[in-house]
Amino acid sequence: MLIKFQSHIEQNFAQLKDKKLLLAVSGGIDSMVLLDLFYKLRFDICVVHCNFQLRGIESDGDEMLVREICQDLYIPYLIETFDTLEFAKINKLSIQLAARKLRYDWFQEIISLGFDYVLTAHHLDDNVETFLINFTRGTGLEGLTGIPVQNGNIIRPLLPFSREEIENYAKEYNIQWREDSSNASDKYFRNKLRHDIVPILKELNTGFLDSFQNTLNHLQQAESLVDDASKLVYKKVVEVKENQLEIHLKPLLQFKNYKAFLYQWLKEYGFSAWNDIYDLVKAQSGKQVFSETHILLKDREKLILSERNSTDKSEVFIIESIESKVNIPLKLRFSKAVNIFETHSNCIFVDESKLKFPLTIRKWQKGDYFYPSGMNGKKKLSKYFKDEKYSLLDKENQWLLCSEDQIVWVIGKRADNRFTSNETTQNNIKIVLEE
């Protein structure tokens, strides 16, 4: 296996040569073999070990083994102890997710100190289990392409090697390792697959792992094709506007597989109700689908994706005086003005004598009206929004500057005639919306 592994590294990970590497070593057989391989190939390595304090004395024994081996081989090492149960409780995570987050967050902290890559000991059997977990829970194509060989600065050089190869190597070279007692428990779904399902698949097909690897390669190639097609269609269909995406439906619906494109474009935004999203395409304007972080809105002939506004619609921001510096929820700057210049969407001039401080910044409410500059008479804000073709999201995101609850400025859009300066105004205030 050593020769095969060396060839694998030279062909696929030439970038590791002369780099400073962190090896994630738990004390289990996989990571102890990984450590031995990189030690024998004379790479510049530093071992990192996490003690999650989940198995009492057993966890401490893992730490002790890693420490002793590193000291015997004169390999530098770093060990961190985590209160995983407390972290999981505070952050409302499962134990497995909490341990994973603690582990990888710590790795990124260390790598910033001058290391190049973190290497983990995931192998081919791990890939099979991950595939089956995703398959049984339901997933898109990316969930069937297995554990990525590289994800940023995380590299998994053992992925082509089976658990059997790793065990044989450990026995041949008398590698010391610790057995995690939790691996024997079937209360974890992964362990049930490992103990009950995968052995049957291997029994039914003695070349199962080779067949699986071939299938994985085909799926990865198919995913690459899908990504390429998705990017090409994206350029024709999606328009990026400030902090939102607009998906134009007319060109999208020319593709019979438009649902696949929607999935590719929207999967990173935390959506899970995919049938609702697909139904949105032919729904009436105003219908919405939510994820924890984003909103997808049907607006006429397009879908609009934007971040969910965390600001309470009833929240009001106070401006005590012209000297106030306003940074939340928008950056507004007030200043005295001697001369009046032409106003535009991000800058207006108002008559100071007509303002009653404190001013307020708030969202629109039913019944709001104003006197739009450049027009005669008053207009309901709802009618103004309609005429200006505001989407529902545009309405919800619009801020108003008010004096005694009268609208001074639909901020960034239109001033109110009642407050704007004219040739006879003695004290002018310039109000600027900054980017």
Side-chain angles (χ1 to χ4, degrees):
M1 179 179 171
L2 179 61
I3 295 173
K4 181 180 175 182
F5 183 78
Q6 182 176 13
S7 176
H8 168 60
I9 295 297
E10 290 172 352
Q11 291 178 21
N12 300 295
F13 298 105
Q15 75 268 31
L16 297 184
K17 186 178 180 181
D18 300 324
K19 293 292 192 281
K20 297 185 71 174
L21 309 177
L22 292 172
L23 264 63
V25 180
S26 67
I29 187 171
D30 310 325
S31 61
M32 295 302 288
V33 165
L34 181 71
L35 171 58
D36 189 78
L37 289 167
F38 274 93
Y39 173 75
K40 286 176 177 172
L41 294 178
R42 299 183 180 278
F43 279 86
D44 184 359
I45 59 176
C46 173
V47 166
V48 285
H49 174 81
C50 302
N51 185 339
F52 295 110
Q53 299 189 91
L54 295 174
R55 294 175 287 114
I57 295 175
E58 191 176 320
S59 293
D60 295 336
D62 296 344
E63 177 184 326
M64 187 177 298
L65 172 64
V66 172
R67 191 187 299 272
E68 289 175 352
I69 293 296
C70 289
Q71 290 173 349
D72 290 345
L73 299 177
Y74 298 99
I75 297 172
Y77 63 93
L78 297 166
I79 294 175
E80 186 67 47
T81 300
F82 298 104
D83 189 343
T84 310
L85 291 175
E86 182 66 16
F87 181 83
K89 180 180 178 181
I90 292 172
N91 293 277
K92 298 179 180 179
L93 296 171
S94 68
I95 300 300
Q96 291 81 2
L97 286 178
R100 175 183 172 82
K101 179 167 176 56
L102 287 168
R103 182 184 192 217
Y104 282 102
D105 285 353
W106 183 52
F107 290 166
Q108 293 306 319
E109 286 180 24
I110 300 170
I111 206 169
S112 66
L113 301 177
F115 294 92
D116 297 292
Y117 297 100
V118 178
L119 311 183
T120 70
H122 294 91
H123 51 74
L124 184 54
D125 288 72
D126 290 327
N127 228 349
V128 172
E129 293 159 12
T130 298
F131 174 93
L132 292 173
I133 288 171
N134 292 339
F135 176 75
T136 54
R137 291 177 177 170
T139 183
L141 183 57
E142 77 282 355
L144 300 178
T145 54
I147 303 169
V149 172
Q150 182 170 353
N151 187 5
N153 52 25
I154 307 292
I155 292 179
R156 303 171 178 91
L158 281 180
L159 273 182
F161 298 87
S162 68
R163 180 176 283 114
E164 184 179 7
E165 288 178 285
I166 291 169
E167 290 174 351
N168 289 340
Y169 180 90
K171 292 173 183 176
E172 180 179 356
Y173 291 97
N174 296 314
I175 304 296
Q176 295 183 65
W177 79 86
R178 299 264 303 172
E179 194 63 54
D180 184 340
S181 62
S182 67
N183 288 336
S185 171
D186 278 348
K187 74 175 183 177
Y188 300 113
F189 185 38
R190 182 179 289 272
N191 286 353
K192 290 181 180 179
L193 292 172
R194 180 179 302 168
H195 298 153
D196 301 332
I197 305 301
V198 175
I200 294 175
L201 295 174
K202 290 180 178 179
E203 181 182 338
L204 292 172
N205 177 7
T206 55
F208 169 71
L209 289 180
D210 289 336
S211 298
F212 172 78
Q213 188 63 64
N214 288 334
T215 299
L216 213 56
N217 291 338
H218 293 318
L219 288 170
Q220 289 166 353
Q221 291 170 14
E223 184 183 30
S224 180
L225 287 174
V226 169
D227 286 341
D228 290 343
S230 176
K231 289 172 183 176
L232 288 173
V233 175
Y234 184 94
K235 292 178 181 178
K236 298 179 180 180
V237 171
V238 181
E239 187 177 1
V240 180
K241 285 191 174 182
E242 297 179 356
N243 296 322
Q244 62 187 35
L245 297 181
E246 293 186 359
I247 302 172
H248 296 276
L249 295 177
K250 189 172 181 180
L252 175 65
L253 292 176
Q254 293 177 1
F255 298 93
K256 292 182 179 179
N257 53 347
Y258 70 87
K259 294 180 181 179
F261 290 120
L262 286 175
Y263 178 82
Q264 286 296 114
W265 300 333
L266 299 174
K267 64 185 180 183
E268 65 183 277
Y269 298 104
F271 291 102
S272 58
W274 291 106
N275 286 333
D276 291 343
I277 287 176
Y278 303 146
D279 291 342
L280 207 59
V281 170
K282 298 181 180 179
Q284 64 185 33
S285 288
K287 293 289 186 180
Q288 303 172 84
V289 177
F290 297 86
S291 73
E292 288 188 6
T293 56
H294 287 76
I295 302 171
L296 187 65
L297 166 73
K298 171 68 178 293
D299 182 50
R300 301 177 182 87
E301 294 300 318
K302 59 192 174 187
L303 301 180
I304 301 175
L305 175 75
S306 67
E307 291 187 23
R308 295 184 71 165
N309 196 329
S310 60
T311 306
D312 187 341
K313 190 172 180 178
S314 64
E315 191 166 4
V316 175
F317 298 87
I318 306 298
I319 303 170
E320 296 290 351
S321 69
I322 189 174
E323 287 79 24
S324 299
K325 289 185 178 180
V326 182
N327 293 315
I328 299 174
L330 303 164
K331 277 192 176 182
L332 291 185
R333 294 295 175 260
F334 294 75
S335 61
K336 296 279 189 177
V338 176
N339 298 313
I340 303 173
F341 298 96
E342 185 178 351
T343 63
H344 53 78
S345 61
N346 285 348
C347 175
I348 65 170
F349 293 85
V350 297
D351 186 336
E352 183 177 6
S353 67
K354 295 179 180 178
L355 295 180
K356 298 291 187 283
F357 284 90
L359 305 181
T360 58
I361 298 176
R362 63 170 175 83
K363 293 293 183 69
W364 79 286
Q365 299 167 358
K366 188 175 180 180
D368 275 339
Y369 65 89
F370 75 130
Y371 290 75
S373 60
M375 296 177 59
N376 293 321
K378 71 178 182 180
K379 192 171 194 175
K380 281 192 173 182
L381 203 55
S382 58
K383 181 68 164 60
Y384 171 77
F385 287 157
K386 183 177 181 181
D387 291 345
E388 294 295 315
K389 294 183 168 51
Y390 270 52
S391 70
L392 182 59
L393 291 177
D394 292 333
K395 295 177 188 177
E396 291 183 353
N397 291 329
Q398 181 63 62
W399 290 100
L400 307 175
L401 177 65
C402 300
S403 172
E404 293 188 323
D405 219 30
Q406 291 183 322
I407 296 173
V408 176
W409 188 17
V410 181
I411 299 177
K413 298 296 182 180
R414 189 75 68 90
D416 188 299
N417 272 331
R418 292 171 293 179
F419 297 91
T420 52
S421 298
N422 56 44
E423 295 80 4
T424 63
T425 303
Q426 307 241 330
N427 297 309
N428 300 299
I429 295 178
K430 180 182 179 182
I431 309 176
V432 178
L433 171 62
E434 297 182 347
E435 296 295 333

